[in-house]
């Protein structure tokens, strides 16, 4: 902890056992200056993440929409609003707390815009981007407390804590993912915020700084509490911070049960320290911890249970259902299996990108520290979480996203030391010894730093502006096309008598609620749904991919199961003949798909529907490459027209 700062400052290294219980050094500035700097940093982070949210125009994973925004849309606007509720919600696998956050925002924003009599077209535009702006605020909070925890560990205003700040800002993964509406993104912010408020003296014996966001002025809250003056929780502020930490941790574990691995790693040293001889905590501290854990855990649990009761209409506990379906029913593997080393060979490189070499060095160095060092505890937390999650067949990089702030904090001393001239080299340069070597080393490191920053910006820019843009652009096109064809300036259907449109114009251009507007012949959940289409009158259907819940695990029937999307791509013509133009899937005005289905679509439609033809209405590039062959090529919108009217 403090040893890394002394190394960075060019001072002689002291044994960790001698310095780990010393508070981190500060920059020597007045606390009001540090407080103002923290406020300025917060504003910078908030503005930066808002720009980030508006700039990202690419698709990552369907859970961004179908596990948050679709149920939130239904909560806010009712079952008739056209939200797509996936099978997980029907089987109560997800906590409703996460979508409830966006539902409140949806509902409040809609009421305000309705009161202001804003045009529905403008309302749709606002509702489409609003969730990401909310997530931008959440992401900025996570960035802020990552930096603040670094300041508590390495000292206020030190070069190492500043390195954490800039690493977070220039992280390609943070730019690409942090403003997306995944539960993992909220989990990450909850986790790092809870870790900032955690009483680390109970887990490691380290005395951390209070951070630049906490006033150093003596006030009522800073006065010792006579009831707890014998141990760590000596002030009402310390107990308040414990409550905040436990409540945030409890909510994070309810949202994502795997978050419990992180808190198991933190709590185990806390419990074992009770029997240690060097523990700073007294028996009363552990009593307070137990008491507050029960209270805060109960509050988080009751909040979750009440929310789920209101949403599902019955008493349920989604974390249990999640474990049952994913472990007992083994349904997670339906969405893919990964090698045991996925998180090491792919997960960490995706999270860290250009920071990987520095992180490997940092993890090795931290693993050699004493068990009472906070960096050692972070390292064991990372190893335990990675090792446990590697035992599960289905793996995704976002499952280990909550570890990224810890990885940044651990890596910062290594990066800071590498890109800052060593004290010995600087001393030799002043005396005239080896000037060429020092200058050469300094130049190489500056170039390396510039290269890392450039690569990070390049990766973030490509993944945010170019890779998988078409599947988002098409929903905007359909929404605007619907507004043009079906709505007047006040948002009423043009077919409505009150709209004042003459009959001839209605016959030639308008769209009625009886017509299906679009059908998506794509792999399931390739695009957002009602959170992007917005208008409930814009009726659409898409191919589904529900797992074989009705089939027993580890049976031939389960292994050979083919969902709708599979059946379509197995034999497109057969699927179109047998499963399209039914009651559930009538022929729409537009068909949306990747360019690879165009030949089969034309063959079927022009063969089955005599006198009609398929015409390309809209096309856009989606990605330069894709690991799923079904999603390669442009995204195209086709419409079906009377061939006799075409020249």
């Amino acid at each position: 902890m403090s040893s890394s700062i002394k190394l960075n400052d060019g001072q002689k290294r002291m044994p960790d056992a001698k310095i780990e219980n010393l508070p981190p050094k500060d920059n020597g500035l007045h606390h009001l200056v540090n407080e103002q700097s923290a406020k300025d940093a917060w504003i910078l982070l908030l503005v930066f993440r808002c720009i980030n949210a508006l700039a990202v125009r690419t698709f990552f994973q369907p859970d961004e929409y179908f596990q948050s925004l679709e149920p939130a849309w239904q909560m806010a606007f009712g079952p008739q609003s056209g939200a797509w509720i996936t099978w997980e919600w029907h089987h109560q696998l997800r906590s409703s707390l996460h979508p409830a956050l966006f539902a409140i925002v949806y509902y409040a924003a809609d009421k305000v815009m309705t009161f202001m009599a804003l045009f529905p077209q403008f309302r749709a535009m606002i509702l489409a981007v609003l969730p990401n702006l909310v997530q931008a605020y959440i992401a900025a909070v996570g960035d802020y407390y990552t930096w603040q925890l670094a300041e508590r560990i390495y000292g206020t205003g030190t070069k190492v804590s500043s390195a954490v700040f800039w690493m977070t800002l220039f992280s390609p993964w943070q730019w690409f993912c942090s403003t997306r509406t995944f539960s993992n993104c909220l989990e990450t912010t909850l986790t790092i915020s809870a870790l900032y408020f955690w009483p680390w003296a109970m887990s490691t014996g380290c005395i951390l700084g209070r951070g630049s966001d906490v006033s150093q002025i003596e006030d009522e809250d800073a006065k010792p509490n006579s009831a707890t003056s014998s141990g760590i929780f000596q002030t009402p502020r310390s107990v308040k911070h414990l409550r905040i930490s436990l409540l945030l941790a409890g909510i994070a574990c309810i949202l994502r049960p795997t978050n419990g691995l992180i808190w198991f790693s933190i709590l185990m040293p806390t419990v074992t320290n009770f029997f240690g001889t060097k523990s700073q905590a007294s028996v009363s501290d552990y009593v307070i911890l137990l008491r507050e854990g029960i209270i805060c855990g109960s509050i988080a649990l009751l909040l979750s249970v009440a929310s789920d009761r209101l949403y599902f209409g019955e008493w349920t506990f989604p974390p249990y259902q999640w474990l049952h379906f994913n472990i007992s029913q083994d349904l997670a593997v339906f969405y893919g299996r990964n090698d045991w080393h996925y998180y090491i060979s792919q997960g960490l490189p995706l999270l860290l990108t250009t920071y990987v070499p520095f992180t490997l060095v940092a993890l090795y160095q931290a693993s050699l520290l004493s068990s009472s060092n906070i960096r050692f505890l972070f390292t064991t937390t990372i190893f335990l979480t990675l090792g446990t999650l590697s035992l599960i067949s289905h793996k995704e990089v976002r499952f280990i996203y909550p570890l990224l702030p810890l990885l940044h904090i651990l890596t910062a001393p290594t990066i800071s030391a590498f890109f800052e001239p060593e004290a010995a080299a600087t001393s030799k340069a002043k005396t005239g010894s080896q000037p060429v070597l020092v200058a050469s080393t300094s130049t190489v490191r500056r170039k390396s730093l510039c290269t890392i920053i450039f690569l990070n910006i390049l990766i973030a820019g490509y993944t945010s502006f170019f890779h998988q843009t078409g599947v988002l652009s098409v929903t905007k096109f359909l929404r605007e096309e619907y507004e043009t064809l079906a709505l007047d300036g006040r948002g009423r259907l043009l077919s409505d008598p009150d709209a004042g449109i003459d009959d001839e114009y209605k016959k030639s251009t308008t769209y009625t609620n009886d017509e299906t507007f679009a059908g998506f012949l794509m792999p399931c959940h390739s695009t957002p749904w009602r959170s992007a289409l917005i208008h409930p009158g814009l009726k659409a259907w898409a191919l589904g991919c529900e797992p074989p819940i009705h089939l027993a695990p580890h049976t031939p029937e389960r292994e050979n199961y083919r969902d709708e999307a599979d059946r379509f791509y197995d034999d497109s013509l057969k699927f179109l003949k047998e499963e399209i133009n039914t009651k559930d899937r009538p022929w729409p005005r537009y068909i949306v798909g990747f360019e690879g289905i165009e030949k089969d679509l034309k063959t079927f439609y022009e063969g089955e529907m005599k006198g009609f033809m398929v015409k390309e209405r809209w096309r856009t590039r989606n990605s330069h490459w894709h690991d799923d062959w079904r999603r390669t090529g442009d995204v195209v919108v086709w419409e079906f027209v009377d061939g006799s009217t075409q020249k």
Side-chain angles (χ1 to χ4, degrees):
M1 185 182 60
S2 300
S3 58
S4 62
I5 300 171
K6 293 181 179 296
L7 282 173
N8 293 337
D9 291 339
Q11 298 178 14
K12 183 177 179 180
R13 176 166 182 155
M14 297 172 60
D16 287 300
K18 294 181 180 180
I19 64 173
E20 62 193 9
N21 290 326
L22 296 177
K25 51 190 288 191
D26 290 337
N27 55 7
L29 299 177
H30 193 277
H31 69 86
L32 292 178
V33 176
N34 290 327
E35 288 177 14
Q36 186 58 48
S37 297
K39 293 177 182 178
D40 294 342
W42 162 247
I43 297 299
L44 171 63
L45 289 170
L46 183 59
V47 172
F48 180 78
R49 288 302 171 202
C50 287
I51 295 172
N52 185 174
L54 296 175
V56 173
R57 301 177 180 274
T58 54
F59 182 89
F60 179 24
Q61 294 225 343
D63 280 4
E64 179 181 355
Y65 308 98
F66 292 90
Q67 300 308 332
S68 57
L69 300 188
E70 291 303 308
W73 192 273
Q74 185 191 56
M75 290 180 192
F77 304 118
Q80 75 287 349
S81 59
W84 185 324
I85 306 302
T86 56
W87 69 275
E88 294 102 320
W89 295 97
H90 294 298
H91 291 273
Q92 305 167 357
L93 267 67
R94 306 287 182 179
S95 171
S96 61
L97 280 179
H98 185 223
L101 169 66
F102 296 107
I104 293 171
V105 174
Y106 272 144
Y107 183 82
D110 182 67
K111 289 300 181 183
V112 170
M113 290 188 287
T114 301
F115 176 78
M116 297 175 64
L118 299 178
F119 290 148
Q121 291 85 341
F122 180 79
R123 168 184 173 272
M125 181 182 68
I126 295 299
L127 291 178
V129 302
L130 189 59
N132 295 101
L133 292 176
V134 173
Q135 183 58 43
Y137 180 89
I138 296 172
V141 171
D143 293 341
Y144 180 78
Y145 281 114
T146 300
W147 171 56
Q148 284 296 295
L149 181 55
E151 294 233 307
R152 292 189 66 189
I153 295 171
Y154 301 121
T156 302
T158 60
K159 293 178 180 179
V160 181
S161 61
S162 297
V164 173
F165 182 89
W166 294 110
M167 284 175 64
T168 301
L169 249 63
F170 282 100
S171 166
W173 180 267
Q174 284 290 82
W175 176 272
F176 175 66
C177 188
S178 67
T179 60
R180 298 180 185 272
T181 52
F182 290 113
S183 60
N184 310 90
C185 298
L186 178 59
E187 176 196 7
T188 300
T189 293
L190 291 173
T191 302
I192 193 60
S193 300
L195 290 175
Y196 169 77
F197 289 106
W198 181 254
W200 288 106
M202 294 195 70
S203 299
T204 65
C206 296
I207 303 174
L208 301 187
R210 300 176 67 181
S212 58
D213 70 325
V214 180
S215 174
Q216 302 294 318
I217 300 177
E218 290 292 332
D219 54 22
E220 290 298 323
D221 288 339
K223 293 179 180 179
N225 187 339
S226 59
T228 61
S229 59
S230 61
I232 292 173
F233 302 113
Q234 298 183 21
T235 65
R237 184 191 297 276
S238 62
V239 178
K240 176 183 176 181
H241 284 190
L242 174 65
R243 290 171 180 166
I244 293 173
S245 179
L246 292 172
L247 187 59
L248 294 177
I251 294 174
C253 291
I254 289 173
L255 289 179
R256 305 284 307 179
T258 52
N259 192 262
L261 293 171
I262 295 175
W263 291 102
F264 175 81
S265 301
I266 302 299
L267 285 171
M268 283 306 296
T270 304
V271 174
T272 56
N273 280 348
F274 177 74
F275 303 98
T277 58
K278 297 181 180 180
S279 176
Q280 296 185 20
S282 63
V283 174
S284 63
D285 289 323
Y286 283 92
V287 172
I288 292 172
L289 178 63
L290 179 62
R291 181 195 70 194
E292 298 300 329
I294 294 174
I295 294 174
C296 295
S298 300
I299 292 174
L301 186 61
L302 288 174
L303 185 64
S304 174
V305 169
S307 177
D308 292 332
R309 178 66 175 83
L310 290 173
Y311 179 70
F312 293 112
E314 59 181 305
W315 299 109
T316 185
F317 189 56
Y320 168 77
Q321 301 284 16
W322 181 87
L323 290 171
H324 173 69
F325 272 82
N326 283 283
I327 297 178
S328 300
Q329 297 295 319
D330 197 27
L331 284 174
V333 297
F334 181 72
Y335 296 101
R337 296 175 183 267
N338 303 89
D339 296 328
W340 66 268
H341 55 76
Y342 171 83
Y343 288 124
I344 299 174
S345 60
Q346 299 180 53
L348 289 180
L350 286 172
L351 282 182
L352 295 162
T353 56
T354 56
Y355 303 150
V356 168
F358 303 98
T359 302
L360 295 178
V361 173
L363 289 172
Y364 172 74
Q365 292 177 342
S367 65
L368 301 178
L369 299 174
S370 68
S371 60
S372 61
N373 192 293
I374 190 171
R375 291 165 59 200
F376 178 85
L377 181 54
F378 283 176
T379 303
T380 57
T381 299
I382 291 167
F383 287 159
L384 175 68
T385 304
L386 290 176
T388 305
L389 293 181
S390 294
L391 300 176
I392 302 173
S393 298
H394 178 63
K395 304 175 181 69
E396 294 184 33
V397 61
R398 57 192 177 89
F399 294 169
I400 61 171
Y401 184 18
L403 298 178
L404 184 58
L406 299 185
L407 290 165
H408 283 167
I409 292 173
L410 282 174
T411 307
T414 306
I415 284 187
S416 178
F418 181 81
F419 289 111
E420 183 181 354
E422 296 180 0
T426 303
S427 175
K428 290 180 180 179
K430 290 180 179 178
T431 61
S433 174
Q434 298 179 329
V436 177
L437 177 60
V438 172
S440 175
T441 302
S442 179
T443 301
V444 169
R445 293 185 178 185
R446 282 200 300 269
K447 289 182 178 180
S448 300
L449 179 60
C450 292
T451 301
I452 287 175
I453 294 174
F454 173 75
L455 288 176
N456 285 357
I457 294 174
L458 186 66
I459 295 169
Y462 178 78
T463 56
S464 301
F465 295 107
F466 297 101
H467 186 58
Q468 295 200 84
T469 57
V471 289
L472 294 188
S473 300
V474 70
T475 58
K476 182 180 179 182
F477 164 78
L478 292 173
R479 186 178 76 238
E480 293 176 348
E481 188 77 357
Y482 174 83
E483 292 168 352
T484 300
L485 294 175
L487 304 179
D488 67 1
R490 297 183 179 180
R492 297 173 300 188
L493 285 171
L494 294 177
S495 56
D496 192 323
D498 295 334
I501 306 299
D502 62 82
D503 293 339
E504 289 299 321
Y505 185 79
K506 291 179 184 179
K507 292 178 181 179
S508 62
T509 64
T510 58
Y511 163 84
T512 67
N513 271 343
D514 296 330
E515 182 181 352
T516 299
F517 196 76
F520 291 76
L521 291 176
M522 296 173 141
C524 69
H525 304 147
S526 290
T527 70
W529 200 248
R530 196 58 57 186
S531 59
L533 298 175
I534 306 297
H535 305 289
L538 198 166
K539 295 182 178 180
W541 52 258
L543 301 180
C545 57
E546 285 71 19
I549 303 174
H550 59 289
L551 300 176
H554 312 297
T555 60
E557 292 79 7
R558 170 78 74 90
E559 297 295 328
N560 297 323
Y561 174 77
R562 308 294 288 172
D563 60 38
E564 288 180 347
D566 293 331
R567 297 197 301 273
F568 172 72
Y569 282 96
D570 288 342
D571 191 336
S572 300
L573 292 176
K574 179 181 178 182
F575 188 89
L576 289 170
K577 289 179 182 179
E578 297 179 358
E579 303 193 47
I580 302 296
N581 204 17
T582 63
K583 180 180 179 181
D584 295 330
R585 287 202 181 91
W587 274 109
R589 175 178 290 233
Y590 297 124
I591 282 287
V592 183
F594 293 99
E595 63 180 39
I597 70 169
E598 184 170 13
K599 181 180 178 181
D600 288 342
L601 191 62
K602 287 184 175 181
T603 299
F604 169 78
Y605 201 85
E606 294 173 6
E608 296 292 322
M609 307 292 187
K610 301 297 182 181
F612 288 85
M613 61 181 295
V614 175
K615 178 183 177 182
E616 183 179 306
R617 175 68 177 82
W618 183 87
R619 175 187 290 261
T620 189
R621 181 193 57 78
N622 185 55
S623 61
H624 295 101
W625 57 272
H626 206 287
D627 55 358
D628 186 346
W629 64 269
R630 302 173 301 175
R631 291 182 164 96
T632 57
D634 295 342
V635 174
V636 188
V637 177
W638 296 278
E639 64 177 326
F640 307 102
V641 297
D642 189 344
S644 62
T645 63
Q646 304 296 309
K647 293 184 180 180

